[in-house]
Structures are given as C-alpha cells and as structure tokens.
Amino acid sequence: MSSELDLDLAVIGGGGHVGLPLSLLFADCGRSTAIIDTDARKVDLIRSGQMPFMEDDAPEMLKRTLASGKLTATTDVAVIARARFIICIIGTPVDEHLNPNFTGIRNALEAARAHFRDGQIFILRSTVFPGVSEHTQRFFDGLGKRVHVAFCPERVAQGVSLREFRTLPQIISAFDPEILAEVRRLFSAFVPEFLELTPIEAELCKLMTNAWRYLQFAAVNQFYMIARDRGLDFDRILHSCRHNYPRMASMPGPGFAAGPCLVKDTMQLAAFSQDRFVLGHTAMLINEGLPSFIVDQASRQVNLREARAGILGMAFKAGSDDRRDSLAYKLKKLLMLHAKEVLCTDPYVQDESLVPLERVLEQADVLFVATPHQQYRKLRVPPGKPVFDVWSALPKGNQ
Ligand SMILES: NC(=O)c1ccc[n+]([C@@H]2O[C@H](COP(=O)([O-])OP(=O)(O)OC[C@H]3O[C@@H](n4cnc5c(N)ncnc54)[C@H](O)[C@@H]3O)[C@@H](O)[C@H]2O)c1
C-alpha cells in the first residue's frame, strides 16, 4: 500500500442519514475520515459543527471529531485518491416505475474514476440490487485499477444508529479472503460480531431483512383493516394475540409502514425475483393502501367535505425529522381531495406548510395521527373531536 494514502477512510455520501453517523463513529475511534458529499449545504453545516438532521448523540460527536482533526468534509471527490478505504453509502431509490435504479452508484463511480488508486478497498454499503457489487468490481477491473470491492450492508436504524453500530452484528463480504480480513479489521474498531457471506448472499440478506419487516407490517395492517371494517376495536384483539403468548411476541402494531428503505427494498427484491415476489407486491398494496382505508373510515363518520382535517405527525417514523416517503404526505394528499381544508403539524419536520400543534387541535374538526411521536402520547384532544389513530398513539379516551 502506497505511503501517499494518508487517510484511513473516504466516505462517499458521508453527509447522509447513515453515512454521517458512520463517518462520525470511525473518526471518534481515531480513524482519519473524509466525508465526501455532493450536497454543498450539508458539507457546510457539517464543517461548521451542525448536524443536518436529527441523530441521537451525534451533535457532541461531530464537535469532538472536528476538534480532534479526525473528521473532514468536502464536495471534492479528488480526496478519494488519499484514502486507503472508500465507503460508498449513497441513496439507492427505485425509479417512478418501482424498478431499481443503478444510476446513482454508477454516477458516483464515474465521477471519481480518475482518483481511484491501486490497492484501495472500495466498500459498498448502500442497499443494492443483487449483482451490483460484482458489477462494481468489473468497473474497476475495466479501469485497469487494482481496487478491491467489498459489500458490507448498513443495517442500523437512523436516529439511533450510533448505539446500534456498537451492538449489531456486521455482515461482511468480499471477492477475496484477504480483502475480507482487511474489512473485518477496519470494522473491528466498534463492531462486536461479524457474519461472513459472499457478496450476492449479503446483498440478498439485506433486501430480505427489510422485505421481511415490510411483510410483517403489511400482515398486521391487513388484520387491522379486517377488524376495523367490522367496527371492531383492533387494540383489544392485538393485545390478546400477544399477551403472554411468546409465539406472537414479535407481532408489530398497525401503522404507516413507510420511509426511504422498506418499500424500495421490497421492490428491489421483487425485481430481482423477476416480479415473482407476489408477497412483496401484495405487502406494498396493503401498506400503501392504509391511508386511503383510513380516509374511507373517516368519511363514514364525518362529513369530510364540510370538515377541516388535522394531521398530527408528518415524519415517516416517530422521533424523526425525516419526511422522505412518509405516508403522512399521502394521507394529506387524499384529505386535500376529500376535506374542506387540511392542517398539518409535526414537532420536528421542517416544512413551511406546517402549523403549530395547538392550532391543529383547536381548528381541525377531525384529527388523524400519521406519526406516533412521543409528544402525542399524553395529548388531550378537545372533547367531541373525532380522532383516527391507527397507531393508538393517543391516550385511549380520545377515540
Ligand atoms: N436511512 C436508513 O435508516 C438506512 C438504513 C440502512 C441502510 N440504508 C441505505 O443506505 C443508503 C443511504 O441511505 P440514506 O438514508 O443515508 O440516504 P441519504 O439520502 O440520507 O444520504 C445519501 C447521501 O449521499 C449523497 N450523495 C448522493 N450522490 C452522491 C455522490 N455521487 N457523491 C457523493 N455524495 C453523494 C447525498 O447528497 C446524501 O447526503 C441507501 O442505500 C439506503 O437504502 C439506509
């Protein structure tokens, strides 16, 4: 390995929801880490010691790692030429037809092609369509560079990733046993346990993990719709399904299954199975249909045309400021068609159209809980106001 490789790590997409916490942790463990991100606003924020989004424990770690000099951030891909390991953790969305989209990773590779050097290890960490690791290795082989590809999927949950990095087993894979050993050494800085797979096994394992969660949410959401359709209290049924019955302990509650990962990874798996993953497609129809089901339920009780609807929570999950692919926005769209007016609120999401919680509580005629933020757990709704709370986030007496 050349002595000119004076950085331990360069993280492509290091300003992102999982790239930034990962960069922080490596830097905090003493590894010189350069964040590379095309988003200049995020890079400026990071350099000035501000987190671009919410993440537990990250603000202090950001300040600490900047002060120690172990963390830097730039938009300049040329910094890749200085790094021994390059981690790529950019977004891998599906396209408007729900097909996997390879252009993000391809563009990132092309943009940096002049800066890769013999002996580097390129660790793909985005959730990718099976075969992308091999494709990436072929890209480097085609360049005539001895850059070695590994695939080490990210499995933490954003918001709590700094805790999970230190507790979850890390899946590692590579095309060469020596590279696998190097990658294991790198992550040993904080990872408690490793699982070794081949790259295609690891790619599938990550997709199946997310698809499994998505299927579980779909199952319970369908149970919820079956019960609610008959006017039954699903909470009572769910409680009795789970109570002191270990085989049902992992049954989740109903709610909006959304966000930037679960749907798109289920669709990536569906595409990989040549669209024979019927369970995945069915799960999508159920989960994506839940907002519409709730609006339909509300329209049976409330004259929505004359009503002002209020939505509590716009983030895709509780305790988050992330609105990416949040079903709260789908609910809003539907209510804009059906109701007189829609007022939305969220304690964390930055969106100019949102209004304070008090105003929603006071002015809305009917309320919908779209995100079960902690702030709503003790909320008292003005008497007589109908509430549609699929999560059962509000105290029981409100419904
Ligand atoms: N968010 C999660 O909880 C989570 C968990 C596990 C895995 N993942 C996977 O991790 C990947 C990243 O997800 P995310 O939520 O962090 O996305 P994100 O959009 O928050 O972050 C991606 C970052 O990459 C940057 N970027 C895009 N193209 C670039 C390029 N060519 N060069 C440099 N920077 C570039 C973007 O500006 C952004 O800051 C996805 O594949 C996702 O499926 C996400």
Side-chain angles (χ1 to χ4, degrees):
M1 197 76 65
S2 159
S3 59
E4 287 168 337
L5 298 178
D6 61 339
L7 279 174
D8 291 319
L9 271 172
V11 182
I12 303 175
H17 285 83
V18 285
L20 179 50
L22 183 72
S23 304
L24 291 178
L25 187 53
F26 269 119
D28 209 39
C29 292
R31 309 294 183 272
S32 50
T33 303
I35 285 171
I36 302 170
D37 205 291
T38 42
D39 187 334
R41 186 192 68 89
K42 277 188 199 161
V43 168
D44 285 346
L45 280 173
I46 293 165
R47 281 179 172 162
S48 69
Q50 295 172 71
M51 283 295 293
F53 46 80
M54 289 167 65
E55 183 68 35
D56 287 0
D57 306 327
E60 307 76 38
M61 204 180 269
L62 175 57
K63 291 197 173 65
R64 197 160 64 230
T65 50
L66 286 172
S68 70
K70 290 294 180 189
L71 186 79
T72 53
T74 179
T75 55
D76 182 4
V77 287
V79 86
I80 281 175
R82 294 172 43 205
R84 183 171 156 75
F85 291 90
I86 299 145
I87 294 184
C88 180
I89 179 75
I90 65 175
T92 45
V94 286
D95 69 15
E96 67 274 34
H97 307 293
L98 302 176
N99 292 321
N101 185 347
F102 312 111
T103 49
I105 288 181
R106 189 75 208 185
N107 290 347
L109 290 170
E110 287 295 345
R113 65 185 294 146
H115 307 294
F116 293 113
R117 316 240 332 250
D118 285 345
Q120 289 178 317
I121 297 178
F122 185 89
I123 303 175
L124 260 178
R125 198 157 173 82
S126 300
T127 306
V128 296
F129 186 76
V132 167
S133 302
E134 197 189 320
H135 178 85
T136 305
Q137 185 61 68
R138 283 207 306 273
F139 169 85
F140 289 120
D141 295 347
L143 281 186
K145 302 254 171 94
R146 279 186 298 106
V147 177
H148 308 279
V149 173
F151 175 65
C152 305
E154 185 61 85
R155 295 199 301 169
V156 294
Q158 65 182 71
V160 292
S161 59
L162 287 169
R163 278 197 294 284
E164 291 199 345
F165 283 131
R166 293 183 181 281
T167 54
L168 297 183
Q170 174 65 55
I171 292 166
I172 53 174
S173 70
F175 296 99
D176 174 324
E178 282 178 26
I179 300 304
L180 196 62
E182 292 238 26
V183 165
R184 179 189 272 262
R185 267 195 293 280
L186 173 75
F187 281 102
S188 294
F190 49 85
V191 164
E193 186 185 359
F194 290 94
L195 298 164
E196 292 186 6
L197 292 175
T198 65
I200 189 131
E201 286 170 346
E203 289 164 341
L204 271 174
C205 176
K206 170 64 198 184
L207 289 183
M208 288 177 177
T209 303
N210 277 4
W212 174 250
R213 278 168 52 70
Y214 196 62
L215 296 183
Q216 285 183 309
F217 291 132
V220 79
N221 282 336
Q222 178 128 59
F223 293 165
Y224 171 84
M225 290 189 253
I226 290 169
R228 291 300 304 144
D229 221 18
R230 298 296 175 114
L232 300 172
D233 181 342
F234 184 65
D235 276 353
R236 287 164 53 81
I237 299 170
L238 182 65
H239 172 76
S240 298
C241 282
R242 294 196 289 215
H243 186 68
N244 282 347
Y245 195 64
R247 283 186 286 286
M248 292 296 273
S250 64
M251 185 183 187
F256 288 166
C261 290
L262 297 189
V263 197
K264 66 104 176 157
D265 291 341
T266 305
M267 290 304 102
Q268 294 207 79
L269 189 55
F272 180 69
S273 76
Q274 292 153 341
D275 287 320
R276 284 183 300 221
F277 181 30
V278 284
L279 275 176
H281 281 290
T282 307
M284 182 191 63
L285 296 177
I286 296 166
N287 288 329
E288 289 287 312
L290 187 56
S292 167
F293 174 86
I294 290 168
V295 172
D296 185 59
Q297 291 269 303
S299 68
R300 295 177 193 200
Q301 283 184 46
V302 178
N303 180 4
L304 284 178
R305 279 183 196 194
E306 299 299 321
R308 192 176 280 130
I311 302 181
L312 308 184
M314 300 305 287
F316 86 84
K317 67 174 182 176
S320 173
D321 59 352
D322 193 347
R323 53 184 271 196
R324 290 179 298 167
D325 296 313
S326 168
L327 282 176
Y329 282 87
K330 185 166 187 173
L331 178 67
K332 178 183 177 188
K333 229 188 289 181
L334 289 167
L335 286 170
M336 284 169 71
L337 271 180
H338 293 276
K340 188 172 72 177
E341 191 185 346
V342 187
L343 297 172
C344 304
T345 187
D346 190 285
Y348 306 121
V349 168
Q350 303 290 318
D351 173 348
E352 284 173 0
S353 72
L354 304 188
V355 300
L357 172 63
E358 295 68 30
R359 183 167 157 210
V360 176
L361 289 181
E362 191 188 312
Q363 296 185 353
D365 306 302
V366 50
L367 293 168
F368 297 84
V369 182
T371 315
H373 286 306
Q374 194 59 38
Q375 287 85 339
Y376 306 147
R377 295 274 169 202
K378 291 191 177 147
L379 203 67
R380 281 278 145 222
V381 170
K385 220 165 259 205
V387 182
F388 294 87
D389 178 13
V390 59
W391 300 95
S392 288
L394 267 52
K396 199 70 179 158
N398 283 313
Q399 290 156 72

